[in-house]
Amino acid sequence: MKKRANIKKFQDEVEAEKELREKLVNAHMKVIEERDKFFERDDLKKYEQWRKVLKSVGSGGIKDFTKIKCLHLHLADFLAGIENPIGEKVASLLKSLECDDSYCKRFLE
């Protein structure tokens, strides 16, 4: 039987494992760092008030970086190159990271 991912299971792991918790916090900090780079563009200077807000929240608007909000946002971070340990765990449970019809590939060309 295939393992099923659920938020409670991952949340329990984060609460029990200090190293996992630290990696998760670091992932959110990296998201904040990467996201903030967008505000260096001249056309985004008018959104400076949002820049301040976004510096205080992690991926998906999470305020407590040790809590699991939803699994897909952690997976998205991981697939985007953020070392998100929950996203990595979710990815390992998936049958494939590629769709059978290569639908997404057309957006990369």
Side-chain angles (χ1 to χ4, degrees):
M1 175 184 267
K2 183 104 170 119
K3 289 185 193 176
R4 289 191 58 204
N6 71 56
I7 292 172
K8 180 168 179 7
K9 174 189 171 289
F10 289 118
Q11 187 63 61
D12 290 347
E13 287 181 35
V14 168
E15 290 172 7
E17 300 173 30
K18 180 181 179 188
E19 185 178 339
L20 179 63
R21 194 168 46 253
E22 289 172 352
K23 287 180 179 180
L24 182 58
V25 168
N26 289 338
H28 284 291
M29 298 306 292
K30 185 67 175 173
V31 166
I32 291 170
E33 177 186 322
E34 293 298 318
R35 184 175 54 209
D36 191 60
K37 291 177 184 178
F38 286 106
F39 288 96
E40 295 171 3
R41 293 180 17 193
D42 286 337
D43 61 326
L44 295 179
K45 297 289 184 196
K46 61 187 173 188
Y47 299 109
E48 194 62 30
Q49 76 277 12
W50 288 108
R51 187 178 196 176
K52 289 180 182 180
V53 171
L54 291 172
K55 282 186 175 188
S56 67
V57 296
S59 189
I62 291 176
K63 293 179 182 176
D64 181 343
F65 300 165
T66 64
K67 300 296 183 203
I68 308 295
K69 183 175 180 179
C70 52
L71 299 179
H72 70 277
L73 73 88
H74 295 282
L75 177 61
D77 286 349
F78 176 73
L79 294 176
I82 301 291
E83 293 181 26
N84 185 313
I86 300 302
E88 184 175 9
K89 287 174 178 276
V90 172
S92 74
L93 296 173
L94 298 176
K95 179 178 160 185
S96 173
L97 294 178
E98 302 289 332
C99 53
D100 294 336
D101 64 3
S102 299
Y103 177 79
C104 301
K105 188 181 261 187
R106 70 182 181 161
F107 297 104
L108 300 174
E109 296 172 350

